[in-house]
C-alpha cells in the first residue's frame, strides 16, 4: 500500500515490436528469466529494475502487450511526500 500524500511521476513507454506471449508476460519480472540466448542476456535486468523502483516506493510494470503488436511498460516514481514523519 502506498503512503498517503505521495505524488508520483508516471512514465509509459510503448513499442511496436514483437510483444509478449501471455506465458512470457507472466514470467517477465522473474529473476533469470530470459527469452534470449545465454550470450545475449542474463534475465536479471527487469527483475532488478523493478526491485530498485520498489525500494524507492515506485514500481515498474507491464501495462499492455499483444503478440505481434508490441508492449507498454509503466515506470512510477515518487516525487514528494507530504506530512512525512522525521525520526
Amino acid at each position: 500500500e502506498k503512503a498517503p500524500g505521495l505524488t508520483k511521476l508516471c512514465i509509459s513507454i510503448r513499442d511496436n515490436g514483437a510483444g509478449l506471449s501471455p506465458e512470457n508476460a507472466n514470467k517477465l519480472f522473474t529473476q533469470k528469466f530470459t527469452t534470449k540466448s545465454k550470450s545475449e542476456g542474463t534475465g536479471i535486468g527487469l527483475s532488478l529494475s523493478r526491485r530498485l523502483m520498489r525500494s524507492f516506493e515506485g514500481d515498474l510494470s507491464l501495462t499492455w502487450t499483444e503478440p505481434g503488436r508490441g508492449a507498454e511498460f509503466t515506470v512510477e516514481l515518487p516525487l514528494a511526500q507530504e506530512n512525512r514523519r522525521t525520526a
Side-chain angles (χ1 to χ4, degrees):
E1 185 172 310
K2 304 289 183 201
L6 190 63
T7 303
K8 297 184 294 183
L9 169 69
C10 297
I11 302 169
S12 293
I13 302 156
R14 182 179 279 203
D15 69 22
N16 59 357
L20 295 158
S21 69
E23 179 182 320
N24 286 343
N26 289 333
K27 300 177 191 174
L28 193 60
F29 294 102
T30 303
Q31 190 171 0
K32 297 190 179 179
F33 172 75
T34 183
T35 59
K36 298 177 181 178
S37 70
K38 296 275 186 200
S39 65
E40 293 179 308
T42 60
I44 62 170
L46 286 174
S47 65
L48 183 63
S49 297
R50 178 182 251 182
R51 260 190 299 168
L52 181 63
M53 295 297 127
R54 288 180 172 180
S55 74
F56 288 101
E57 297 183 33
D59 204 0
L60 170 63
S61 58
L62 174 66
T63 50
W64 172 83
T65 188
E66 190 174 324
R69 297 204 53 214
E72 180 178 271
F73 290 86
T74 299
V75 175
E76 295 180 17
L77 289 170
L79 292 176
Q81 289 185 3
E82 297 173 17
N83 302 321
R84 187 174 187 180
R85 293 183 186 168
T86 58

